[in-house]
Amino acid sequence: MKRLLVGAIGTAMVVGTPLALSTNAQAATTTGGDGASAVATPAPATNQMPAAADGLTASGVNARAAQTRTLTSQVAVRKQARGTYAYQTMIAIQGRVRAHNSADTNCDTEWCHVGATSVRLYRRIGGTSKWVLLSNRATNSTSAFVFKTRSVGTAVYKVVFRGKTISGVGTIPAAAASNTIKGSRHPHTRVYTKSGRVYMAGNVDPGWGGKRVIIQRKASKRGSFRAWNAIRTSRSGGYKLRLPAPRTGYWYYRLVVPGTAPRWAAGASGVWRTYQR
């Protein structure tokens, strides 16, 4: 007699296309009495920590060029590792404040850090208009920062640099970077065997009592998932169902929690396979 078995495949999966945390800085142009100007510019997202070749210092400034120098600032943020974050999972927002100084041969074309400074992280939850300050954090000596916060659904996160004055260089203008990071409800799925049968169970968090969840299945590792079954959760968001196994080969399963815009994106559990032997 064949036994039903189950195996977890890889790590937890999410629904959605990975997105970059773009860095749309707040443009702010000022002109000082010495003819210097300052402007904040947007930065492209990158998978790596944004680079800064050197630091802005007075020693690199050409005295004649300083009369008409331009200071340009930027908050550059690293691209997010995931496309969607399940409820209460940790989000890391990393980046660096950097600047150009047209009067500095080291920093006129290469981005330079502005030294130790401070940045603020704000969040606006999807469907709301209120910005909430989450943290006010000091950078390291090369203007790099890391914020960590838990997902509470889809939200816009904004990192704000309020400007800095460097002696002999001038005033670095304020800048900001913001973008939407998707968040989903968490299915808290577990799969186990009991009396020779395989079961999937869990509890959707938050607020998914008496609502539908979808179980998807595919017959090969490289195949496409298709809806196989749909059940309603209990009043507290719990669910449980049996997962059959094929006579030969494998069946792959995952559970999907539908999204409810604008706050909640669709989210999925990890992937499990069932088989007999």
Side-chain angles (χ1 to χ4, degrees), residues 11-18 81-86 89 184 254 266-270:
T11 57
M13 298 180 66
V14 294
V15 171
T17 303
R82 304 183 192 177
T84 305
Y85 290 79
T89 56
S184 68
R254 71 178 181 184
S269 70

Side-chain angles (χ1 to χ4, degrees), residues 43-78:
T46 173
N47 288 317
Q48 305 299 321
M49 178 64 79
D54 207 340
L56 289 178
T57 62
S59 61
V61 175
N62 179 287
R64 180 172 295 180
Q67 298 302 311
T68 57
R69 71 177 180 268
T70 299
L71 298 172
T72 306
S73 68
Q74 185 182 84
V75 176
V77 180
R78 187 175 182 178

Side-chain angles (χ1 to χ4, degrees), residues 222-247:
R222 295 186 178 181
S224 299
F225 276 106
R226 297 181 181 274
W228 168 73
N229 196 359
I231 60 173
R232 288 195 176 274
T233 63
S234 67
R235 292 178 62 183
S236 61
Y239 58 89
K240 178 181 176 182
L241 74 157
R242 181 185 168 195
L243 300 180
R247 291 183 178 276

Side-chain angles (χ1 to χ4, degrees), residues 168-206:
V169 175
T171 299
I172 312 303
S178 65
N179 204 0
T180 300
I181 300 179
K182 292 182 181 180
S184 68
R185 291 181 171 88
H186 201 311
H188 294 290
T189 305
R190 62 189 180 95
V191 173
Y192 62 95
T193 57
K194 183 178 181 181
S195 301
R197 294 183 175 183
V198 178
Y199 295 91
M200 174 184 283
N203 189 285
V204 181
D205 189 30

Side-chain angles (χ1 to χ4, degrees), residues 25-45:
Q26 294 175 331
T29 303
T30 61
T31 302
D34 60 356
S37 63
V39 61
T41 62

Side-chain angles (χ1 to χ4, degrees), residues 10 44 51 54 79 130 157 218 259:
D54 207 340
K79 184 178 179 180
K130 183 180 179 180
Y157 293 86
K218 62 181 181 179

